[in-house]
Amino acid sequence: MYEWKRPTLLDVISALFLFLLVREWLIPLQVLTDTGDLWPFYMIAASAILVDLLMPYRWLSFPFKLIGLLWLLHATFFETPFWERKWLIEVYQHIVHDIPLVFAQDWGAMSILSRNAMFDIMLIVLISMITYLVLEQRQVLWFVVMTEAYLALLDTFMPYEADGGIIRTLICGFLLLAITHLTKMTRMATVNGKRGWVLANSIMAPMLIIAMSVGIAYAAPKQDASWPDPISFLMGNSQGTAGTVMKKVGYDNNDGQLGGPFISDNTLVFVGVTNEQSYWRGDSKDIYTGVGWEKGKREYESILDLQNHEWENTLFKGLEAREVKSSLFFSGPLQYATVFYPGQIKKLRDYTPENATVVFDTWNQQLEIRAGKINLLPPSGSSNSQPVVGPNTLLMKLKQYNVESEVPVVSEKAITQAGTNYPEEIRANYLQLPEQLPARVRELAQEITQNAENPYQKVRAIENYLRSSGKYKYETTDVPIPEPGQDFVDQFLFESYRGYCDHFSTSMTVMLRTLDIPARWVKGFAPGERVGSDDQGNDIMEVRSKDAHSWVEVYFPELGWIPFEATSTFTSPVRIQYDLQSEQSQLPIPLPDLGNQGGIDRGDGRWDELEGGDAVSTSGFRIPWQVNALILAALAGSAFVAWRRRQDIQIWWLRRKMNHLESNQYPDRFHLLMRMVESVYTRRKSGETIREYVNRLSIPGDKRQDLRYLTEMYERMIYGLKGMEQKARIVAEELMERLIRQLKP
């Protein structure tokens, strides 16, 4: 029979260190995935370890874990009382509805409730197995080595800094090994004398070794790595060719090499409080190289008195505009020397630090923050010999600032009638294309816009084609890298058919330029996630690194730069006022017939979630037969296991009843003991006395002797009407405990 031993202080400490090791497996989720808060996973890990530590039988722990899982799902997704059936039915319907999607590996189509429930179940099972091997079987070393290898692989092949995790794992792992070894020693032999002092001395040595080794490793001087980048080396690109490493999404000034997969980064960049949600513009670029974007022409304006400076018509003019007031607060590890603003900027106020100055790129509308003022030497040949005051050459990052800006409300009538009378400097800089651009890119653009009558209709035709034709899929991980000499846009449009915002926005910009429509590539952040509102009704937006985004700006004569969105999973930032009188002009621009494209593919499922795609209809709900079969199989398996372990269950139940009886209730305790003996060996025959039954049992001599003694004591109390002395009662209790421990099915 399984014998449960109450957890000691060493067992509790071992469980604590095991939780810290499991925690190191969970921490990277927040950096490498879209995971927001990790506290639910921490609760699952801690609860599973604690339940396994305290429960006498492992099978008994699973109902408690299931209840805890349901409570966590309820606390995360529901506001109804826990004991109401409505939310339980909804959970059941979601899981049953999404089980076929699991077999189809269509994870994006599953509801967020089902994904969380299934991941939590998997995590509970995994941690239960680890707890059994580490805390019960004392197999610690393998888990410590696996944790170190896991962190080392992430640090080497993923954009995750695992230095701290490796050190923490080393400390916790060595201490767990030491405590496990000490636990084995104390169970093998009795520790005499001052037990606490002996245990402290046993732990002190490994702690000193860990402290010295970690301290020396941290403080000692270290050289840079002499090995090449392992990913580039393994891929045969030891020279560090760009695009061979999995990137982490985020705002970056280097856009010279686009393409390849990236990992979503959930790091908070800033919190924005705004009266209207919009894109946060950062910069634009005008030279397409065939593999990425660079800046060409630049014109800078030095702004020393930033508090009183005002901008006017930096992007557009002659259009109705909506005023936007925003406050941005930066507190995380990701901060930039670039000012982000909705639409076109008007004022920048109440910034910190207060000594900031700005270099404004009037050609690309980028605001770069500098660390105060310095004296600059006058240009050579200038008649003025006095130093010139200008912005510092050192960049600086603002902690917070208030920005006033405006977003356009585009008149369809005005933009349709804008014409093609572009200024010469606009033509010279925003129609540039590489000489090696494949001809089929230009041919596709012409085919898409063959029915369009003006530049605006051509812009909308290409935008609609990329967003809604269903030919191109939004994808972030399974994204190929262009081959050497291969054009980035050509690969996306005609070979891979999958990519993210950089692919869609660059393709739209390039195709518009092939049609002699000036366009440029813009980057910044999407609006972010709304997390609440302030007392004035303004939206509080959390903008994270994963919200970094790129879109397109198109130039229209007399109007300026108007934003457009080519990526299907994002909402277009342009606001259109449909004021044309002709009904025909207000019809949606038709897409070209490019063959059978199949159904519209919304990419990663984000659009479906925005449209309520996660909702499960409760009307006409039917459970698939596969789910019913799976439930019946699980019930049958549980029943089979319970039948096979019926003797263990019965002995555990009888032992539990015995523990509730007082020691002076010897006859009742003896009856429970005999029921345990009958469940393990054989039943008493009809009319057979207890003494005859004990003599008939095929058991070792020491057990028979103990059982005979207990039987004799029972007969004396029942038939001799004699009480049991204290000494005899103590002996009987010891014999009972020894017999129960020896009972095995």
Side-chain angles (χ1 to χ4, degrees):
M1 184 189 74
Y2 174 80
E3 177 186 355
W4 178 67
K5 297 180 179 179
R6 296 182 183 276
T8 63
L9 178 61
L10 292 179
D11 294 329
V12 175
I13 297 175
S14 298
L16 174 61
F17 284 125
L18 175 60
F19 169 75
L20 295 177
L21 290 178
V22 172
R23 177 175 173 268
E24 296 299 334
W25 288 77
L26 298 174
I27 291 176
L29 295 179
Q30 200 165 31
V31 178
L32 302 179
T33 69
D34 288 333
T35 306
D37 295 325
L38 293 177
W39 70 265
F41 303 135
Y42 291 158
M43 288 187 61
I44 290 173
S47 302
I49 294 174
L50 185 62
V51 169
D52 285 336
L53 183 68
L54 299 179
M55 284 292 168
Y57 293 95
R58 181 164 295 275
W59 62 268
L60 189 62
S61 66
F62 284 101
F64 289 91
K65 294 175 183 176
L66 179 60
I67 293 174
L69 173 60
L70 292 175
W71 176 86
L72 185 61
L73 291 175
H74 175 269
T76 306
F77 295 102
F78 298 95
E79 296 182 356
T80 58
F82 179 77
W83 299 111
E84 282 193 5
R85 294 177 53 190
K86 183 178 180 181
W87 74 271
L88 286 171
I89 295 174
E90 185 175 349
V91 171
Y92 176 73
Q93 290 175 347
H94 272 277
I95 294 178
V96 170
H97 177 271
D98 291 340
I99 283 179
L101 300 177
V102 175
F103 294 105
Q105 299 183 5
D106 191 2
W107 315 113
M110 295 175 60
S111 68
I112 187 172
L113 180 61
S114 299
R115 291 198 298 265
N116 276 267
M118 293 181 182
F119 181 81
D120 293 344
I121 292 173
M122 181 192 69
L123 187 61
I124 289 175
V125 173
L126 183 62
I127 292 177
S128 299
M129 296 172 59
I130 294 173
T131 305
Y132 171 74
L133 292 173
V134 174
L135 296 185
E136 294 187 23
Q137 300 297 318
R138 304 294 173 182
Q139 300 179 15
V140 180
L141 184 59
W142 71 271
F143 187 60
V144 176
V145 173
M146 282 188 62
T147 305
E148 292 284 10
Y150 164 74
L151 294 174
L153 287 173
L154 291 185
D155 187 79
T156 303
F157 295 97
M158 295 287 188
Y160 177 71
E161 298 294 335
D163 298 354
I166 291 175
I167 296 298
R168 292 191 298 268
T169 300
L170 178 67
I171 296 173
C172 295
F174 268 97
L175 289 176
L176 182 57
L177 284 168
I179 293 173
T180 302
H181 181 66
L182 179 61
T183 304
K184 289 182 179 179
M185 293 176 59
T186 56
R187 291 183 177 178
M188 292 174 60
T190 303
V191 179
N192 297 321
K194 298 181 179 179
R195 184 181 182 90
W197 179 253
V198 174
L199 297 180
N201 287 338
S202 302
I203 295 293
M204 189 176 299
M207 291 187 66
L208 289 176
I209 294 174
I210 293 172
M212 291 181 60
S213 59
V214 173
I216 293 174
Y218 181 79
K222 294 171 279 292
Q223 292 184 347
D224 295 334
S226 58
W227 290 6
D229 174 41
I231 300 178
S232 299
F233 180 78
L234 293 174
M235 296 291 292
N237 299 307
S238 57
Q239 300 301 319
T241 304
T244 59
V245 182
M246 178 78 77
K247 299 177 292 186
K248 185 189 297 185
V249 65
Y251 189 88
D252 187 5
N253 288 324
N254 183 9
D255 304 298
Q257 182 79 34
L258 300 179
F262 72 75
I263 300 173
S264 183
D265 182 8
N266 204 46
T267 305
L268 181 66
V269 179
F270 63 87
V271 175
V273 181
T274 179
N275 63 331
E276 183 167 343
Q277 297 183 24
S278 183
Y279 284 5
W280 306 92
R281 192 184 191 281
D283 197 5
S284 65
K285 295 189 176 181
D286 55 350
I287 296 181
Y288 175 64
T289 63
V291 294
W293 288 95
E294 297 178 356
K295 275 193 175 183
K297 183 176 181 180
R298 309 184 191 191
E299 293 180 356
Y300 295 110
E301 175 186 357
S302 298
I303 303 175
L304 303 180
D305 187 10
L306 184 58
Q307 188 71 33
N308 297 314
H309 186 82
E310 294 188 11
W311 288 269
E312 187 175 352
N313 299 334
T314 56
L315 284 175
F316 59 86
K317 60 182 179 179
L319 294 172
E320 180 185 347
R322 300 178 64 174
E323 185 175 352
V324 181
K325 294 184 178 181
S326 309
S327 299
L328 284 73
F329 303 90
F330 296 78
S331 59
L334 296 179
Q335 299 182 16
Y336 303 93
T338 299
V339 173
F340 300 99
Y341 55 90
Q344 67 178 3
I345 190 170
K346 295 174 60 180
K347 300 177 183 179
L348 187 64
R349 301 284 189 267
D350 303 326
Y351 45 83
T352 304
E354 297 179 354
N355 65 326
T357 56
V358 163
V359 172
F360 179 55
D361 185 351
T362 60
W363 196 252
N364 299 288
Q365 292 76 45
Q366 180 200 22
L367 282 79
E368 190 176 78
I369 303 298
R370 300 294 180 88
K373 310 172 186 178
I374 59 173
N375 292 328
L376 303 174
L377 294 177
S380 58
S382 175
S383 58
N384 185 10
S385 60
Q386 296 296 325
V388 178
V389 178
N392 199 330
T393 56
L394 298 177
L395 298 177
M396 186 171 69
K397 302 169 184 177
L398 295 180
K399 298 293 184 181
Q400 67 179 56
Y401 53 86
N402 296 335
V403 60
E404 295 182 17
S405 57
E406 55 187 11
V407 294
V409 179
V410 179
S411 165
E412 187 184 38
K413 179 178 180 180
I415 200 171
T416 301
Q417 298 175 357
T420 59
N421 187 23
Y422 304 111
E424 186 58 34
E425 60 178 1
I426 295 295
R427 287 183 173 275
N429 291 277
Y430 294 107
L431 294 178
Q432 172 271 337
L433 290 171
E435 295 181 358
Q436 66 274 20
L437 181 71
R440 58 181 179 176
V441 175
R442 189 184 306 272
E443 294 169 358
L444 177 61
Q446 293 173 350
E447 185 176 1
I448 294 172
T449 60
Q450 60 183 344
N451 297 324
E453 300 177 355
N454 54 64
Y456 172 68
Q457 290 186 356
K458 293 180 181 180
V459 171
R460 293 303 299 272
I462 292 179
E463 181 187 49
N464 290 339
Y465 172 74
L466 292 172
R467 289 176 60 88
S468 307
S469 68
K471 190 173 185 178
Y472 303 101
K473 179 181 180 181
Y474 185 90
E475 176 66 51
T476 59
T477 55
D478 184 20
V479 181
I481 302 170
E483 299 292 336
Q486 186 178 27
D487 185 83
F488 173 74
V489 170
D490 181 80
Q491 183 212 36
F492 170 68
L493 292 177
F494 300 101
E495 295 184 12
S496 69
Y497 304 104
R498 59 188 185 275
Y500 37 93
C501 58
D502 291 347
H503 297 75
F504 288 88
S505 57
T506 300
S507 298
M508 180 174 177
T509 305
V510 170
M511 283 196 288
L512 288 176
R513 290 186 175 187
T514 64
L515 301 174
D516 293 330
I517 299 176
R520 64 183 178 184
W521 188 73
V522 189
K523 57 186 297 186
F525 288 95
E529 179 183 3
R530 185 182 184 275
V531 296
S533 60
D534 62 5
D535 53 2
Q536 298 179 355
N538 298 317
D539 293 331
I540 301 177
M541 312 295 296
E542 284 189 351
V543 180
R544 302 182 179 274
S545 187
K546 66 180 181 181
D547 295 315
H549 187 51
S550 61
W551 60 96
V552 183
E553 285 181 350
V554 182
Y555 187 86
F556 293 91
E558 305 300 328
L559 299 180
W561 295 101
I562 306 300
F564 291 89
E565 178 58 80
T567 310
S568 60
T569 54
F570 290 81
T571 303
S572 177
V574 65
R575 296 162 174 80
I576 302 294
Q577 178 183 356
Y578 297 99
D579 53 1
L580 280 178
Q581 298 299 321
S582 171
E583 295 183 358
Q584 183 178 0
S585 63
Q586 297 193 36
L587 295 175
I589 299 174
L591 292 175
D593 184 9
L594 298 179
N596 185 14
Q597 303 287 356
I600 295 178
D601 190 342
R602 298 284 187 182
D604 60 351
R606 175 174 175 179
W607 190 264
D608 294 333
E609 292 182 5
L610 293 175
E611 294 178 344
D614 281 345
V616 177
S617 174
T618 58
S619 60
F621 177 78
R622 297 182 61 186
I623 302 176
W625 69 268
Q626 297 93 336
V627 177
N628 291 325
L630 186 63
I631 294 175
L632 291 176
L635 293 175
S638 301
F640 177 75
V641 172
W643 181 79
R644 290 291 302 271
R645 302 296 299 273
R646 63 189 183 280
Q647 290 181 332
D648 283 343
I649 296 173
Q650 185 178 12
I651 291 175
W652 171 81
W653 178 252
L654 294 173
R655 174 65 183 273
R656 185 174 179 274
K657 292 180 64 176
M658 183 180 290
N659 290 337
H660 288 288
L661 296 176
E662 300 293 336
S663 60
N664 57 2
Q665 297 176 285
Y666 180 78
D668 295 332
R669 293 172 64 84
F670 180 77
H671 279 297
L672 292 175
L673 174 64
M674 294 308 299
R675 288 177 60 183
M676 294 183 194
V677 173
E678 289 185 39
S679 66
V680 173
Y681 296 107
T682 184
R683 298 286 182 182
R684 286 172 58 187
K685 296 180 180 179
S686 177
E688 189 176 26
T689 65
I690 297 178
R691 183 182 293 271
E692 292 173 344
Y693 173 70
V694 171
N695 291 331
R696 183 171 60 84
L697 288 176
S698 299
I699 55 177
D702 55 342
K703 291 184 181 180
R704 188 188 305 277
Q705 183 178 354
D706 293 343
L707 200 53
R708 282 176 177 173
Y709 177 83
L710 295 174
T711 303
E712 183 178 350
M713 297 298 298
Y714 171 77
E715 291 174 344
R716 286 183 181 181
M717 292 189 66
I718 297 299
Y719 303 113
L721 300 177
K722 295 182 179 180
M724 185 179 293
E725 298 179 355
Q726 179 66 23
K727 184 177 180 179
R729 183 180 293 112
I730 294 175
V731 173
E733 290 297 326
E734 292 179 352
L735 293 179
M736 277 191 177
E737 290 295 327
R738 185 164 66 184
L739 280 173
I740 291 174
R741 289 196 301 268
Q742 293 174 349
L743 287 177
K744 294 182 179 180

